Amino acid sequence: MQLGIIGLGRMGGNIARRLMLNGHTTVVFDRNTDFVSALEQEGATGVADLPALVAGLAKPRAVWVMLPSGAPTEETIETLSQLLDADDIIIDGGNTFYKDDIRRSQSLAEKGLQYVDVGTSGGVWGLERGYCMMIGGDSAVVKHLDPLFAALAPGMGDIPRTKDRVSDDDRAERGYIHAGPAGAGHFVKMVHNGIEYGLMQAFAEGFNLMKMKGGENLPEDQRFDLNLGDIAEVWRRGSVVSSWLLDLTADALATDEPLDGYSGAVADSGEGRWTIEAAMEQSTPVPVLSQALFARYSSRQQSLYGDKLLSAMRFGFGGHVETPKK
């Protein structure tokens, strides 16, 4: 199957690579011509602008936009809407606010265009591990795109099947779901990222507590000089808190236990805020998720060791950089 891809950064480029490794063809564009050239050498068709990308695709065209949320995505989709024909498909795979998906879907439908939102998790490891995807859009359109989603997803892998699970649809077990109509995919991904904040904050606070156990504010006979790298490693093996985030924590501590390479000014990319806003609209309590978001704000004023660990985890799974200290 053929796919146009716009935005070849941390995830877009590897999405193209994974598709090509699975027999699909790609037409790619990025303002950074080095990214385009690199993918051309790997078999992609590189183009210099959006009109050329549209011209290089067979009908019905499918174009995946993998750009930062807000203006970059909004402006690109608006331009595409003027270049594409009826029944062509625009896919937004970035971290867009779900209400924008609903609005776009309705607006594009008036032009006869199809719109699909794909909440995409996998970060810089997606080429190797595959991408977990939460998809919103019309069922027939999602079904048409299924060969692409199946190629990008992790597949069954070696994860044990859930006991007593019964379903006629095995897509969830293969790493992707059709969550519902336009906006549903990004809504589920938004909540996923809100939960991610909470899990990361729990690890950060726990390791910060253990780090401070050796502090001078305690009586000398109550201080422990704990090996945090060993603790992260042993928890990876049989512990109920074992997880990919703990794996990344262990990696970071093995390389630099003091975490001197991080300031601890932890950035947030918007989804945590949107999760809290949704909770307020729905009168649904999310005290852990909201506190995790506020902790990131606090880290930009006065950082703790745990905040550095948050930054290390974010860099580990997504290549995210810290917020510069003011």
Side-chain angles (χ1 to χ4, degrees):
M1 194 169 179
Q2 187 187 47
L3 181 68
I5 302 176
I6 301 168
L8 308 175
R10 287 193 302 262
M11 292 177 69
N14 281 343
I15 284 174
R17 291 183 177 93
R18 188 169 175 91
L19 287 173
M20 290 189 293
L21 287 171
N22 283 276
H24 299 282
T25 60
T26 61
V27 181
V28 300
F29 169 70
D30 194 289
R31 287 186 295 181
N32 186 324
T33 56
D34 289 341
F35 291 169
V36 176
S37 297
L39 278 165
E40 281 183 311
Q41 294 175 18
E42 299 176 47
T45 299
V47 295
D49 54 31
L50 296 186
L53 182 136
V54 170
L57 295 170
K59 297 182 181 181
R61 305 175 183 93
V63 182
W64 184 301
V65 179
M66 200 65 178
L67 296 171
S69 62
T73 295
E74 196 75 42
E75 293 168 5
T76 299
I77 291 177
E78 174 59 28
T79 300
L80 285 173
S81 74
Q82 300 172 33
L83 297 171
L84 295 170
D85 297 322
D87 295 326
D88 288 346
I89 306 165
I90 296 175
I91 306 164
D92 181 1
N95 283 324
T96 286
F97 184 44
Y98 77 98
K99 291 184 180 180
D100 289 336
D101 293 313
I102 297 171
R103 169 180 54 80
R104 284 184 200 148
S105 177
Q106 295 168 348
S107 175
L108 292 171
E110 295 174 1
K111 300 180 180 182
L113 297 170
Q114 304 290 343
Y115 181 81
V116 173
D117 57 288
V118 182
T120 312
S121 183
V124 296
W125 295 88
L127 176 60
E128 175 185 346
R129 293 168 57 106
Y131 298 93
C132 172
M133 291 167 291
M134 298 134 270
I135 305 161
D138 178 79
S139 295
V141 178
V142 173
K143 183 178 180 180
H144 170 74
L145 297 170
D146 190 76
L148 299 175
F149 299 137
L152 291 172
M156 292 283 191
D158 58 0
I159 298 174
R161 303 190 75 172
T162 301
K163 183 180 179 182
D164 297 329
R165 173 179 168 82
V166 178
S167 176
D168 294 330
D169 185 347
D170 70 349
R171 288 179 293 181
E173 290 186 290
R174 291 188 283 130
Y176 64 108
I177 60 168
H178 180 205
H186 276 146
F187 182 83
V188 175
K189 177 58 162 55
M190 176 191 76
V191 177
H192 163 283
N193 283 26
I195 293 170
E196 176 187 294
Y197 282 30
L199 294 172
M200 293 172 69
Q201 185 63 28
F203 278 122
E205 291 180 8
F207 276 88
N208 189 68
L209 181 63
M210 291 187 288
K211 178 71 171 178
M212 298 305 294
K213 187 58 176 172
E216 295 181 357
N217 58 320
L218 292 173
E220 188 170 355
D221 64 348
Q222 295 182 24
R223 300 175 197 168
F224 300 150
D225 183 16
L226 299 171
N227 187 318
L228 301 186
D230 280 356
I231 292 168
E233 190 63 33
V234 75
W235 283 359
R236 292 181 63 219
R237 306 179 185 278
S239 163
V240 296
V241 298
S242 59
S243 64
W244 188 24
L245 289 174
L246 183 58
D247 294 344
L248 295 171
T249 297
D251 289 343
L253 294 174
T255 304
D256 173 22
E257 183 164 319
L259 301 176
D260 291 332
Y262 299 93
S263 71
V266 187
D268 69 281
S269 52
E271 298 89 340
R273 306 181 190 201
W274 299 337
T275 302
I276 307 311
E277 290 172 2
M280 294 174 66
E281 289 178 354
Q282 297 167 206
S283 300
T284 303
V286 286
V288 173
L289 307 190
S290 58
Q291 181 55 39
L293 174 65
F294 296 145
R296 294 195 177 195
Y297 297 163
S298 177
S299 75
R300 299 167 204 170
Q301 300 173 26
Q302 182 177 4
S303 300
L304 303 173
Y305 180 81
D307 297 322
K308 295 183 178 182
L309 192 60
L310 281 176
S311 288
M313 282 187 274
R314 293 186 81 245
F315 183 78
F317 66 72
H320 302 291
V321 297
E322 297 177 305
T323 295
K325 286 283 192 181
K326 295 182 180 180

